[in-house]
Amino acid sequence: MDAKIIQLPKIQDSRGNLSFFENLNQIPFIIKRTYWIYDVPGGDIRGSHAFKESNEFIIGISGSFDVVLHDGVKETKYNLNRSYFGLYVPNMLWRRLENFSTNSLALIVSNIGYDKKDYIRDFDEFKKLKYEIRK
Ligand code: TYD
């Protein structure tokens, strides 16, 4: 499955709204790990790497930020600014998170545990691997 925005259920209530996602239901994998990025100083960029195996789902729980995905040929920018929208990011996409608003909170779930060997941190190496996959 390609990267795509997934709209989550939003249970509207005068007491406040509620959204959720479940393994293999709203998201196409089983969650092994959850992490979140917060208190990002204005102008800073997170990410700038690809994952060999990790598939992720990124939600802009609060505030606003951009997720920029590069598939080795072209770049696509997604703005996450609602608690009920998430971005599915499959493995082997170069990604960076930027343009964080004050107090923004990025919640990220992954199908694998943390493994530093899963990271590709060199963009040229990433492009080479993508090219080999396409061949
Ligand atoms: P990193 O993934 O490089 O951050 P980002 O992509 O958001 O810029 O992770 C930063 C540090 O946090 C790095 O030293 C590894 C550690 N880390 C964990 O220990 N567990 C995790 O699940 C994640 C995502 C990072």
Side-chain angles (χ1 to χ4, degrees):
M1 192 193 283
D2 290 339
K4 69 166 183 177
I5 291 282
I6 295 174
Q7 183 166 356
L8 299 171
K10 179 181 181 187
I11 315 294
Q12 279 187 297
D13 193 307
S14 56
R15 300 168 300 157
N17 302 328
L18 181 154
S19 292
F20 60 89
F21 52 93
E22 294 181 339
N23 292 332
L24 302 178
N25 199 347
Q26 289 76 21
I27 61 166
F29 59 83
I30 292 175
I31 298 165
K32 187 79 182 281
R33 175 168 49 113
T34 305
Y35 63 98
W36 49 100
I37 295 172
Y38 53 100
D39 291 347
V40 179
D44 269 337
I45 294 176
R46 300 298 310 233
S48 292
H49 51 69
F51 293 116
K52 293 176 199 156
E53 299 293 339
S54 178
N55 301 316
E56 294 193 328
F57 182 60
I58 305 176
I59 311 108
I61 292 285
S62 83
S64 165
F65 55 89
D66 294 332
V67 182
V68 184
L69 300 181
H70 200 300
D71 64 6
V73 177
K74 63 176 191 321
E75 202 169 77
T76 310
K77 185 185 283 193
Y78 301 86
N79 178 246
L80 295 181
N81 62 0
R82 292 280 181 274
S83 313
Y84 53 91
F85 275 116
L87 179 65
Y88 172 63
V89 183
N91 64 336
M92 287 306 286
L93 285 176
W94 189 267
R95 65 149 173 79
R96 52 176 212 274
L97 280 65
E98 63 186 26
N99 201 18
F100 286 87
S101 69
T102 307
N103 289 329
S104 54
L105 171 58
L107 181 71
I108 306 174
V109 294
S110 166
N111 65 322
I112 65 169
Y114 174 70
D115 177 3
K116 72 173 195 286
K117 293 193 294 300
D118 194 46
Y119 285 69
I120 305 167
R121 293 194 178 273
D122 183 290
F123 189 61
D124 288 335
E125 184 193 344
F126 165 73
K127 277 201 295 196
K128 217 170 98 194
L129 287 169
K130 281 299 262 191
Y131 180 71
E132 277 160 18
I133 292 168
R134 282 205 175 89
K135 268 202 296 197

